[in-house]
Amino acid sequence: MAPRKGEPGRFLYKELAAELRTQIQSGELAPGDLLPSEAALIEGRGVARSTIRQAYDLLKAEGLAASKQGKGVYVLDPRMLVRSSPKRLSREVWESGRSIQSADLDDRNPDVVVEVDEVDAPDHIARILGAGRMCRRRRVFSLDGRKLQLATSYLPIELAVEAGIDQINTGPGGSYARLAEVGRRPVDARERVRGRVAMPDEAEALGLSPGMSVFLIERTARDEEGRILEVNEMTLDASKYILEYDFKL
């Protein structure tokens, strides 16, 4: 592709982005590789700086590239994560000692940073779980050095302490396995999903470029008696996830 300046009706940045996208998806440009610098493209391809920046912004919005301060724009792994709620929440996953997140990752290992504290229930959580003290579990999930998901769970503090969920490491199978051990096995869950442009704090936390989108997922889990056990609020980089739901008709 050799863009020609001033040719009417052509979107040169889209052509440049398409060429680079093909190279990324074919593996010619591998994750971690730097994309050509603006100076190199201006000199070698005769394109305007604004064209290059538009092309790179498009690739960033698609989750195929990201900026690194002082380094340039580098390639991200083009593989999408398929998030299947029925699969990841199934008993066979957590009863086998696997983490819920492992169901999405095709045997890739995420980095997870966990913070646990005790807080008064925020108003929107109190409307679901009731007022009182809550165990708040905040997690940041990263894969291949890139942050993909933020998650914050709330559980009544007495239940969390009884099940040992007030600890950073909840052991094999995670929180749901521990709840089952104290007779509060989760038997059903509801997820509500919406999408929007990332707010500035979310973009900063996930390393997103301005204008990129996120999925917001709220999950409530119930035990056999219909009591709500947990509210989990998740923020996902929408450029990296496919949300998949299987159900019978």
Side-chain angles (χ1 to χ4, degrees):
M1 186 270 295
R4 295 183 292 276
K5 288 199 232 180
E7 189 172 332
R10 295 184 65 192
F11 295 91
L12 302 185
Y13 77 94
K14 291 185 178 181
E15 295 184 20
L16 178 58
E19 179 179 327
L20 293 169
R21 184 185 302 112
T22 297
Q23 293 176 16
I24 292 170
Q25 292 174 338
S26 69
E28 183 178 347
L29 285 170
D33 286 351
L34 284 174
L35 293 179
S37 67
E38 292 182 2
L41 287 173
I42 291 171
E43 179 179 353
R45 308 295 288 273
V47 291
R49 191 179 304 274
S50 60
T51 296
I52 300 166
R53 291 181 177 177
Q54 283 181 293
Y56 283 5
D57 284 346
L58 186 56
L59 295 174
K60 292 175 190 177
E62 295 172 0
L64 297 176
S67 296
K68 186 177 293 184
Q69 187 67 33
K71 299 290 185 180
V73 180
Y74 66 98
V75 175
L76 297 175
D77 191 328
R79 289 178 293 176
M80 300 287 285
L81 297 173
V82 179
R83 184 186 186 278
S84 170
S85 293
K87 177 182 176 182
R88 72 202 308 268
L89 295 177
S90 66
R91 287 178 58 186
E92 66 178 280
V93 170
W94 48 267
E95 284 188 343
S96 68
R98 297 163 56 202
S99 69
I100 289 174
Q101 291 74 32
S102 68
D104 303 335
L105 301 179
D106 297 327
D107 297 324
R108 289 184 284 172
N109 294 317
D111 294 316
V112 186
V113 177
V114 183
E115 295 180 359
V116 182
D117 58 6
E118 182 180 336
V119 297
D120 288 325
D123 290 344
H124 70 289
I125 297 298
R127 286 193 289 269
I128 302 172
L129 285 173
R133 299 292 284 175
M134 296 288 154
C135 173
R136 179 175 62 180
R137 299 183 55 84
R138 291 180 288 184
R139 287 92 69 206
V140 179
F141 298 91
S142 303
L143 190 65
D144 301 325
R146 185 182 180 193
K147 295 175 182 176
L148 298 176
Q149 180 185 178
L150 313 173
T152 301
S153 293
Y154 295 89
L155 303 96
I157 188 63
E158 296 85 358
L159 176 60
V161 171
E162 180 185 6
I165 298 171
D166 59 333
Q167 306 298 312
I168 287 179
N169 185 352
T170 54
S175 297
Y176 285 5
R178 303 291 79 75
L179 288 167
E181 289 172 352
V182 297
R184 299 292 299 276
R185 178 171 63 84
V187 298
D188 67 64
R190 170 182 292 172
E191 288 192 343
R192 303 179 68 183
V193 184
R194 63 190 178 100
R196 59 162 168 73
V197 172
M199 297 291 102
D201 60 329
E202 296 165 340
E204 181 178 2
L206 288 170
L208 304 179
S209 300
M212 291 182 69
S213 297
V214 291
F215 290 125
L216 303 177
I217 303 177
E218 178 196 82
R219 182 175 71 232
T220 53
R222 293 176 172 81
D223 65 12
E224 292 177 313
E225 297 182 14
R227 294 172 294 185
I228 297 177
L229 300 167
E230 172 204 41
V231 178
N232 190 351
E233 299 175 319
M234 293 157 274
T235 304
L236 285 64
D237 176 354
S239 72
K240 298 304 293 183
Y241 279 92
I242 294 172
L243 305 184
E244 181 176 86
Y245 297 89
D246 294 314
F247 49 87
K248 294 182 179 180
L249 302 178

